[in-house]
Amino acid sequence: MSQLFTQAAITFQPTDLRIHEQAGEQWLVAPLVAVRAMQLNGEHLTADELEASVEAWAQAIVTLGHPHLDGQNVSVQQAPWFAAGFFAGPTFSANKLRGEAWLPLGVRPDIERLTAGMQAGESFRISTGYFANIAT
């Protein structure tokens, strides 16, 4: 059995971003579409499968780019240093899983660069951790 991972290039509109303070920490909150019903790496993710998985997405790790080791895509559990924040408030509508990426501010230089770029409307590759086990 093999695993397929996917990532997306997302452009954030500066007007959609907000800063949220919680327990004395500041977070950049960015709404996004995490995944949609579609062909992903040659496999079909159906709307029914995606809708059934909504609750599992709460608190999923969001990474900058896709975690990889030795040129191979891997789970963030295998490369935890890629973790940047978490996915919150998952909902499903119009064949899309939507929610918010929460990224801590003032913690890591790479997140600060991402935050500045997001606020400038730049596009970034993030991974929401979608993977599929494929029988081979």
Side-chain angles (χ1 to χ4, degrees):
M1 185 172 298
S2 64
Q3 293 183 329
L4 297 177
F5 298 89
T6 190
Q7 61 182 339
I10 298 176
T11 301
F12 297 92
Q13 297 303 315
T15 55
D16 294 339
L17 305 175
R18 73 179 196 276
I19 305 295
H20 182 83
E21 189 163 328
Q22 182 173 315
E25 295 180 354
Q26 286 195 323
W27 297 81
L28 177 70
V29 181
L32 60 87
V33 173
V35 69
R36 65 186 74 222
M38 61 185 282
Q39 288 292 117
L40 293 172
N41 299 330
E43 297 295 320
H44 186 68
L45 174 60
T46 68
D48 290 341
E49 291 171 310
L50 192 51
E51 186 172 24
S53 72
V54 169
E55 288 183 25
W57 287 85
Q59 304 299 309
I61 296 169
V62 172
T63 66
L64 304 182
H66 193 87
H68 58 275
L69 288 173
D70 300 323
Q72 298 292 316
N73 286 341
V74 297
S75 165
V76 70
Q77 283 76 24
Q78 296 167 286
W81 53 90
F82 278 87
F86 65 94
F87 186 71
T91 61
F92 180 80
S93 66
N95 291 331
K96 297 175 185 174
L97 179 75
R98 301 171 189 271
E100 298 175 325
W102 283 57
L103 304 168
L105 296 175
V107 177
R108 291 181 10 202
D110 58 342
I111 294 176
E112 296 306 310
R113 284 190 300 276
L114 173 74
T115 299
M118 289 168 71
Q119 291 171 327
E122 294 178 20
S123 179
F124 290 91
R125 289 212 169 272
I126 66 163
S127 177
T128 54
Y130 173 78
F131 71 94
N133 288 318
I134 307 300
T136 54

